Amino acid sequence: MRARAKTRARQEEILKLLKQAGRAMVEDLAERLDTTPQTIRKDLTALADDNQIIRFHGGATLASGTEYAGFDVRKEIMRDEKDAIGAAVAELIPNHTNVILNGGTTTMAAARHLAHHVGLNVVVDSVNIANVLRVFPGVQVIVPAGSVRGVDGAIMGAATVDFIRKFRADISVVGAAAMGRDGDLVDYDLEESAVSSAIMHSARNVILALDSSKFGSFAPVSFGALRYVDTLVTDRQFDPAMKALAQREDVGFIVSE
């Protein structure tokens, strides 16, 4: 019983550290918790089996959807996968295009890969992403009116939704906190979800940028569904059920490299 309690306490500490940093390496955790790498690997395997974390070679990340982590932490969750998804999304956006991006860590990754595009008009509901885009010479950044959320720079409110509804884009790129196995797209915040819904309905072509850990996860507010998406971009760790769902909904399915 004592050994079990010690294991549980250590795993709780691992989760606490991942919630603070987003990701961690086995060797660092072993040193931090004064135990062996082998013990940490067993702990990570148990936490992964319980769907609380995601393993990668040499470490782990917090599983998306376990809770609404801060923006800086969320940037580190599936960081490499999000960057690859962002690059794949950017390849789908032609030059001389009107684009809307919703605020999120995966859409921020897509924004970073627009550095060499030209003739883009980009509406973005995030001051953080606007700050990434503003230095790109080929991108004109448009920020809607609204209230800025301090924790992550998201722009929200009725004025934001009204502005986006009046804008007509060629492409919208949206992320989500999670996607249910029925294709329901969900988030944690009612106001943020209203903005994302408006973004989806204001473009002729909708790209969903979603890392694989978010499939089958949960969040309380629905803002759309996969059937309203034209293309889903994810990473190589995707659940085959995600691809099957996309095929049933006649949604393009792209796996980032």
Side-chain angles (χ1 to χ4, degrees):
M1 293 295 291
R2 184 178 299 176
R4 187 178 301 174
K6 186 176 180 180
T7 296
R8 184 165 55 248
R10 189 175 56 248
Q11 292 176 359
E12 288 175 354
E13 184 64 21
I14 290 171
L15 278 176
K16 179 181 177 181
L17 292 170
L18 287 174
K19 288 173 182 177
Q20 292 171 349
R23 59 190 279 138
M25 306 304 292
V26 169
E27 298 292 339
D28 294 335
L29 289 170
E31 182 177 353
R32 180 78 174 263
L33 299 177
D34 193 24
T35 188
T36 65
Q38 291 81 1
T39 297
I40 294 298
R41 290 189 188 98
K42 290 179 182 178
D43 289 334
L44 296 181
T45 297
L47 290 169
D49 289 344
D50 198 33
N51 296 318
Q52 296 189 73
I53 67 167
I54 297 167
R55 293 291 307 275
F56 61 81
H57 182 67
T61 69
L62 187 69
S64 298
T66 55
E67 66 173 37
Y68 196 53
F71 189 80
D72 288 339
V73 172
R74 284 185 282 136
K75 284 195 301 184
E76 297 301 314
I77 299 172
M78 303 287 283
R79 180 181 62 190
D80 295 339
E81 289 81 2
K82 288 176 180 178
D83 184 67
I85 291 169
V89 168
E91 290 182 1
L92 298 175
I93 298 175
N95 292 325
H96 308 290
T97 303
N98 295 317
V99 182
I100 311 180
L101 300 176
N102 78 338
T105 55
T106 311
T107 52
M108 175 177 275
R112 291 196 192 97
H113 287 279
L114 297 176
H116 301 295
H117 280 60
V118 295
L120 295 186
N121 293 313
V122 182
V123 174
V124 59
D125 68 331
S126 163
V127 294
N128 286 336
I129 299 180
N131 198 45
V132 170
L133 292 169
R134 68 180 176 80
V135 298
F136 299 161
V139 178
Q140 178 182 2
V141 183
I142 304 166
V143 179
S147 300
V148 177
R149 187 166 60 188
V151 293
D152 60 1
I155 304 170
M156 299 181 297
T160 311
V161 172
D162 185 59
F163 177 90
I164 289 171
R165 284 176 175 167
K166 292 176 180 176
F167 192 83
R168 291 295 175 264
D170 301 297
I171 296 172
S172 67
V173 181
V174 296
M179 181 172 75
R181 290 185 173 272
D182 59 354
D184 198 23
L185 302 177
V186 292
D187 217 318
Y188 289 94
D189 186 277
L190 189 61
E191 285 191 300
E192 187 174 14
S193 295
V195 175
S196 295
S197 179
I199 288 172
M200 287 188 67
H201 289 90
S202 293
R204 294 186 294 109
N205 188 290
V206 179
I207 299 171
L208 174 63
L210 193 80
D211 75 69
S212 59
S213 72
K214 294 179 178 177
F215 180 64
S217 298
F218 173 80
V221 184
S222 174
F223 68 85
L226 184 62
R227 63 180 176 273
Y228 301 124
V229 170
D230 296 285
T231 306
L232 167 60
V233 183
T234 191
D235 57 82
R236 289 180 292 177
Q237 300 181 50
F238 70 89
D239 186 328
M242 180 194 288
K243 183 176 182 179
L245 178 61
Q247 290 174 334
R248 286 199 302 272
E249 298 290 357
D250 196 27
V251 173
F253 191 82
I254 294 177
V255 181
S256 59
E257 295 299 325

